[in-house]
Amino acid sequence: MNSEKRVSIGTGASAEYEATVTSPVNIAVIKYWGKRNTDLILPTNSSLSCTLSQDDLHTKTTVRCSPKYKQDRLWLNGFEEPVVPTHGRGYRCLQELRQLRKVIEDENPTEPKLSEYKVHIVSENNFPTAAGLASSASGYAALVQALANMYNLTCDQTELSKIARLGSGSATRSVFGGFVEWKAGEDPLGSDSCAVCVAPETHWPSLRALVLVVSDAKKGTPSTSGMSATVSTSTLFEQRIKYVVPERLKDIKEAILNKDFKTFAEITMRDSNQFHAVCLDTYPPITYMNNISIGIIRLIHMFNSQVDPETNAPLGVRAAYTFDAGPNAVIYTEESNIKELVSIITHFFPPSQATSLKSYLPSAPSLFDIPALDQNSTIPLNESLLAPYKKTFVPFELGSIRRIIYTKIGDGPRFLNHSQSLLNEAGMPKRVKD
Amino acid sequence: MNSEKRVSIGTGASAEYEATVTSPVNIAVIKYWGKRNTDLILPTNSSLSCTLSQDDLHTKTTVRCSPKYKQDRLWLNGFEEPVVPTHGRGYRCLQELRQLRKVIEDENPTEPKLSEYKVHIVSENNFPTAAGLASSASGYAALVQALANMYNLTCDQTELSKIARLGSGSATRSVFGGFVEWKAGEDPLGSDSCAVCVAPETHWPSLRALVLVVSDAKKGTPSTSGMSATVSTSTLFEQRIKYVVPERLKDIKEAILNKDFKTFAEITMRDSNQFHAVCLDTYPPITYMNNISIGIIRLIHMFNSQVDPETNAPLGVRAAYTFDAGPNAVIYTEESNIKELVSIITHFFPPSQATSLKSYLPSAPSLFDIPALDQNSTIPLNESLLAPYKKTFVPFELGSIRRIIYTKIGDGPRFLNHSQSLLNEAGMPKRVKD
């Protein structure tokens, strides 16, 4: 899959260097919430996430440095953004990587002085902002990976994760595929606050994720200020970070290594709930989940309490929800349950009539093979499957869930070749919006 | 206000004894959530509440014992309910009080043997179920008070609170007016788990309460099973009961004694939020607040962050919300703020067109003197007052709040005379529904 790390364009003193990568989104199952150092983005506790497949969700970034460029420039999703030297987190990552490049140049005087060149950066998400997914994790991971490749650095992914961390905490975990722990570390300077791969994406091939994008009018509290408020005002928070998280982390790693879905799922749900509990215990309280989110929680617990209609034996915990700093749910389940689960979710959270099925559930009908699926009907379903839910669960308003993205666990950053570059020959973005 | 404790009807061996009382509702500011003994209703932590005025909300109960009655009978809000001997909590209170009566009779052989008579009980709430208020606190407090009066017991209110506790935990606090602490106690048998009056209702005469009855389709988790789930599954709960509540209790009692509204309000809000946080940390999670509840929280925090339009000085914390096991809010504020607060609440949570103003805000317009108030218009308001809210707060759907009850801090159980009895001469309820 991985192509060359970088390409050089031209030769001699005028040569330009370029790298293009994609980086994945990750969704935490043990949540990161709280910083012990806000400047260095050092967390109060370790966290653990699953990397989602870049086939479905990724940030793609091209970086190029050239002796001709007059200044560092950045285009984000088609719009140029200022690169603010002293405050910008992206600029900080760039400077860290330039320093590492400088070390190589100092040690090898024949190396081109790329650390002195200005850089052009183009970055694009393949998911719309309307998908409701935070893009800072994949975004900063892609930036850091692309720059490291362009500078031909030799540092490993764990070293790279520390630089991604300076961009955004959750980006620390997007430099690996599979199951990734961000170790909180103890060093006040952050030298040991970095990501490690707990298991690669090939370890548990049957695991699947559904991103349920929920409608919401309210704008949530930004996570940086939210975390800081929780750390300073919640009287339950210390208990969480000192005692609860360390035990959960140990247990969920074991569950992942054993592919023990039940334990993995229960810890995931409990930790999502506890993260939102400490938000509610913040003063003034922070709330991210809405009525629809709570409805999804109820439905998943009902799904997990179903019994086999023939033997009456419990089917057990077959799905887990997790919610980040917003109303959207990510549901983890195993491939064998996906059709039943999607059928139930789409029945009780039907698409709005204005939503075409293609935007509501892009992977249907090909993936789920539901022939009668069309935008004006709710999705047909075996009535006996629905009956136990219908007793107590009333379908939500049309359009409560705007979109369902079906994906799986995926690999870490991918290196693309020059044909995939986002920059044209002149060093300007191939696509610009205005 | 208080009349005779009881009346006797008839003379000699056929004499019947009767008592009629009303008892108040109370709303906790330090929440009771969690039992250390479910049978004896012994709580995991002390709690503290304000007793609300019986002029607005109460349960009225008449009890009569007669040698003619064949069995214990109970009519609740116009319907006869079975008196289940071994399971019923009401029956348990009755038996406890019969025992205490028996002691008197054993010590004074001339006393009539009321402990051997059957009892007829009639109980009515003056607030409709639709008001969304739990009636078990006022209900069991009224039952226990009426029986104690009928039996001419000499025990004090704190002793009585232990018997009310056997009916419903929150009833423990409804035997006093004003500000009431339910001490958790340490005795495994509950001898020290009882209510004490922290300050009488006359102590802080400017304090007011608004009960905001919120529309909700979802049926919440019953509090008994909810508490038990929290105690056994929340990993934050122990921190709350061991460390957080004891300190808050000390601080809020001091705030009450000093009539320090700011501290009283902040602790009240923090403790409501923490109660809901430990519910969310329960597995599966318990949620009682809905989008409307969260909207009320946001509006109150906005109210508390307003500044004086002329001096720009902060007006400070002027209102506190608290939520029990449901979506309804109770707002505490001081009398001087009530008009501004009600105006803002009614503007952003307007009545449904189907609700007549009389049922939406029974105390308007007489109380608030808002002339243009009618059922088809939202309540007119000084635009400059609304402006700071309008920037970020969008009015909720009509009818999101169904009713607003305006009340204040009130006294403990009141003793009524025979003319107020709910039983007719034959010992049957004066009003029965069918």
Side-chain angles (χ1 to χ4, degrees):
Chain A
M1 175 69 67
N2 280 347
S3 161
E4 304 263 321
K5 277 177 78 171
R6 65 170 182 177
V7 292
S8 58
I9 303 160
T11 52
S14 67
E16 302 179 341
Y17 290 83
E18 178 188 274
T20 299
V21 306
T22 58
S23 277
V25 164
N26 72 76
I27 301 291
V29 291
I30 301 291
K31 297 299 187 190
Y32 155 51
W33 191 255
K35 298 185 179 85
R36 65 187 153 93
N37 180 318
T38 50
D39 181 48
L40 296 172
I41 311 197
L42 299 176
T44 50
N45 58 275
S46 299
S47 56
L48 195 144
S49 61
C50 302
T51 296
L52 300 188
S53 172
Q54 290 167 79
D55 295 343
D56 300 301
L57 302 162
H58 64 247
T59 299
K60 179 176 174 183
T61 298
T62 295
V63 295
R64 191 188 296 168
C65 61
S66 165
K68 289 181 235 158
Y69 296 165
K70 299 281 185 292
Q71 53 176 329
D72 296 320
R73 293 180 74 178
L74 166 67
W75 292 264
L76 214 56
N77 293 317
F79 297 96
E80 183 161 12
E81 304 270 336
V83 178
V84 185
T86 49
H87 293 91
R89 293 206 160 270
Y91 189 75
R92 186 160 183 180
C93 295
L94 173 57
Q95 290 301 81
E96 289 283 330
L97 292 155
R98 269 188 175 134
Q99 287 296 331
L100 293 176
R101 172 66 196 177
K102 182 87 169 37
V103 173
I104 295 176
E105 293 166 5
D106 291 348
E107 287 171 358
N108 305 282
T110 59
E111 282 284 328
K113 300 287 180 289
L114 307 190
S115 68
E116 292 166 16
Y117 294 4
K118 298 295 180 190
V119 182
H120 283 191
I121 304 163
V122 188
S123 189
E124 290 179 1
N125 302 322
N126 79 330
F127 46 96
T129 309
L133 287 159
S135 59
S136 59
S138 55
Y140 282 103
L143 174 69
V144 166
Q145 186 72 59
L147 289 168
N149 288 7
M150 179 184 77
Y151 288 144
N152 206 23
L153 303 181
T154 53
C155 61
D156 65 15
Q157 292 304 97
T158 287
E159 280 305 306
L160 216 53
S161 75
K162 293 181 206 168
I163 301 168
R165 195 196 72 221
L166 297 173
S168 166
S170 58
T172 315
R173 298 181 309 242
S174 267
V175 304
F176 284 110
F179 303 84
V180 186
E181 179 181 356
W182 173 12
K183 289 179 180 295
E186 290 175 359
D187 178 11
L189 295 177
S191 67
D192 53 356
S193 187
C194 56
V196 293
C197 183
V198 171
E201 67 279 10
T202 51
H203 167 69
W204 196 345
S206 60
L207 206 58
R208 294 291 179 274
L210 292 168
V211 183
L212 310 184
V213 183
V214 163
S215 296
D216 197 30
K218 183 171 78 83
K219 210 174 137 52
T221 309
S223 62
T224 297
S225 57
M227 283 185 201
S228 145
T230 299
V231 172
S232 58
T233 66
S234 166
T235 53
L236 300 177
F237 182 66
E238 199 181 327
Q239 175 76 7
R240 164 169 172 73
I241 61 166
K242 263 196 176 161
Y243 303 103
V244 183
V245 167
E247 201 176 317
R248 282 187 181 164
L249 203 63
K250 185 173 71 62
D251 294 344
I252 205 168
K253 282 196 276 190
E254 199 181 309
I256 289 166
L257 294 176
N258 295 332
K259 287 174 263 186
D260 168 1
F261 185 79
K262 178 176 182 294
T263 306
F264 170 79
E266 283 193 3
I267 296 174
T268 295
M269 292 186 275
R270 284 175 189 262
D271 207 67
S272 173
N273 295 334
Q274 184 164 94
F275 150 50
H276 292 279
V278 298
C279 285
L280 192 50
D281 190 50
T282 301
Y283 185 82
I286 301 168
T287 55
Y288 289 118
M289 297 195 292
N290 63 21
N291 289 353
I292 304 165
S293 315
I294 301 297
I296 292 167
I297 288 178
R298 281 182 56 225
L299 192 66
I300 295 298
H301 282 288
M302 289 182 79
F303 183 74
N304 287 340
S305 59
Q306 295 305 305
V307 296
D308 185 305
E310 288 178 19
T311 66
N312 229 29
L315 294 167
V317 175
R318 295 180 294 156
Y321 53 79
T322 187
F323 294 82
D324 285 325
N328 298 332
V330 174
I331 311 292
Y332 289 112
T333 189
E334 292 194 285
E335 204 278 333
S336 54
N337 301 311
I338 198 76
K339 269 180 101 157
E340 181 179 337
L341 184 56
V342 168
S343 301
I344 287 162
I345 291 171
T346 53
H347 179 86
F348 288 104
F349 296 91
S352 79
Q353 301 208 348
T355 306
S356 80
L357 191 68
K358 203 176 160 201
S359 78
Y360 172 65
L361 182 53
S363 26
S366 64
L367 195 65
F368 297 110
D369 192 26
I370 304 171
L373 224 50
D374 79 65
Q375 69 176 49
N376 294 316
S377 74
T378 56
I379 287 150
L381 186 61
N382 185 334
E383 274 302 314
S384 69
L385 199 65
L386 280 181
Y389 299 87
K390 282 187 167 173
K391 283 176 206 153
T392 57
F393 204 99
V394 179
F396 273 62
E397 227 177 291
L398 302 184
S400 294
I401 289 179
R402 287 194 288 116
R403 177 190 287 253
I404 300 178
I405 298 161
Y406 175 56
T407 186
K408 58 191 175 191
I409 310 305
D411 53 357
R414 295 176 184 172
F415 308 161
L416 308 184
N417 60 37
H418 185 57
S419 70
Q420 306 250 36
S421 173
L422 296 172
L423 284 164
N424 64 22
E425 222 170 290
M428 295 298 283
K430 288 180 180 171
R431 280 179 296 277
V432 182
K433 290 175 188 165
D434 48 21
Chain B
M1 175 69 68
N2 280 348
S3 159
E4 305 263 319
K5 276 176 79 172
R6 65 169 182 178
V7 292
S8 58
I9 304 160
T11 53
S14 67
E16 302 178 340
Y17 290 83
E18 180 189 272
T20 298
V21 307
T22 59
S23 277
V25 164
N26 72 76
I27 301 292
V29 291
I30 301 292
K31 297 298 186 191
Y32 155 51
W33 191 256
K35 298 186 179 82
R36 64 187 154 93
N37 180 320
T38 51
D39 181 49
L40 296 172
I41 311 196
L42 299 176
T44 51
N45 58 275
S46 298
S47 55
L48 195 143
S49 61
C50 302
T51 296
L52 301 188
S53 172
Q54 290 167 79
D55 295 344
D56 299 302
L57 302 162
H58 65 246
T59 298
K60 179 177 174 183
T61 298
T62 296
V63 294
R64 191 190 295 169
C65 62
S66 164
K68 290 182 234 156
Y69 295 164
K70 298 281 187 292
Q71 53 176 330
D72 296 320
R73 292 179 75 178
L74 166 69
W75 292 265
L76 214 56
N77 293 317
F79 296 97
E80 183 161 12
E81 304 269 338
V83 179
V84 184
T86 49
H87 294 90
R89 293 205 160 271
Y91 188 76
R92 186 161 183 180
C93 295
L94 173 57
Q95 288 303 80
E96 289 283 331
L97 292 156
R98 269 187 175 134
Q99 288 295 334
L100 293 177
R101 172 67 196 177
K102 182 87 171 31
V103 173
I104 295 176
E105 293 165 7
D106 291 348
E107 287 171 357
N108 306 282
T110 59
E111 281 284 328
K113 301 286 180 289
L114 306 191
S115 68
E116 292 165 17
Y117 294 5
K118 298 295 180 189
V119 182
H120 283 191
I121 304 164
V122 188
S123 189
E124 289 179 2
N125 302 322
N126 78 330
F127 46 95
T129 308
L133 288 158
S135 59
S136 59
S138 54
Y140 282 103
L143 174 69
V144 166
Q145 186 72 59
L147 289 168
N149 288 7
M150 179 183 78
Y151 288 144
N152 206 23
L153 303 182
T154 53
C155 62
D156 65 14
Q157 293 303 97
T158 288
E159 281 304 306
L160 215 54
S161 75
K162 294 182 206 168
I163 301 169
R165 194 197 73 220
L166 297 172
S168 167
S170 58
T172 315
R173 297 180 310 242
S174 267
V175 304
F176 284 110
F179 303 84
V180 185
E181 179 181 357
W182 173 13
K183 289 179 181 293
E186 291 176 1
D187 178 10
L189 296 177
S191 66
D192 54 355
S193 187
C194 57
V196 293
C197 182
V198 171
E201 67 278 9
T202 51
H203 167 69
W204 195 345
S206 60
L207 206 60
R208 294 290 179 275
L210 292 168
V211 183
L212 310 183
V213 183
V214 163
S215 295
D216 196 31
K218 183 171 77 85
K219 210 176 137 51
T221 308
S223 62
T224 297
S225 58
M227 283 185 201
S228 147
T230 299
V231 172
S232 59
T233 67
S234 166
T235 53
L236 300 177
F237 182 67
E238 199 180 327
Q239 176 75 8
R240 163 170 172 73
I241 61 167
K242 263 195 179 164
Y243 303 104
V244 183
V245 167
E247 201 177 317
R248 283 186 181 165
L249 203 62
K250 185 173 71 61
D251 293 345
I252 205 169
K253 282 195 276 189
E254 199 182 309
I256 289 167
L257 293 176
N258 295 332
K259 286 175 264 187
D260 168 2
F261 185 79
K262 178 177 182 295
T263 306
F264 170 79
E266 282 193 4
I267 296 174
T268 296
M269 292 186 275
R270 283 175 189 262
D271 207 67
S272 173
N273 294 335
Q274 185 164 93
F275 152 49
H276 292 279
V278 298
C279 285
L280 191 51
D281 190 51
T282 301
Y283 185 81
I286 301 168
T287 54
Y288 290 118
M289 297 194 292
N290 63 20
N291 288 353
I292 305 165
S293 315
I294 300 298
I296 293 167
I297 288 178
R298 280 182 56 225
L299 192 65
I300 296 297
H301 282 289
M302 289 182 79
F303 183 74
N304 287 340
S305 59
Q306 295 306 305
V307 296
D308 185 304
E310 288 179 19
T311 66
N312 228 28
L315 294 168
V317 175
R318 296 180 293 156
Y321 53 78
T322 187
F323 294 82
D324 284 326
N328 298 331
V330 174
I331 311 292
Y332 290 111
T333 190
E334 292 193 284
E335 204 277 334
S336 55
N337 301 311
I338 198 75
K339 268 179 102 158
E340 180 178 338
L341 184 57
V342 168
S343 301
I344 287 161
I345 292 171
T346 53
H347 179 85
F348 288 103
F349 295 92
S352 80
Q353 302 208 348
T355 305
S356 80
L357 192 69
K358 202 176 162 201
S359 78
Y360 173 64
L361 181 53
S363 24
S366 63
L367 195 66
F368 297 110
D369 192 26
I370 304 171
L373 225 48
D374 78 64
Q375 68 177 50
N376 293 316
S377 75
T378 56
I379 287 151
L381 185 61
N382 185 334
E383 274 301 314
S384 69
L385 200 65
L386 280 181
Y389 299 86
K390 283 188 167 173
K391 283 177 206 154
T392 57
F393 204 99
V394 179
F396 273 62
E397 227 176 291
L398 303 184
S400 294
I401 290 180
R402 287 194 288 116
R403 177 191 286 254
I404 300 178
I405 298 161
Y406 175 55
T407 185
K408 58 190 176 192
I409 310 305
D411 54 356
R414 297 176 183 172
F415 307 162
L416 308 183
N417 61 36
H418 185 55
S419 70
Q420 306 250 36
S421 174
L422 296 172
L423 285 163
N424 64 21
E425 223 169 287
M428 295 299 282
K430 289 180 179 169
R431 279 180 297 278
V432 181
K433 290 174 188 166
D434 49 22

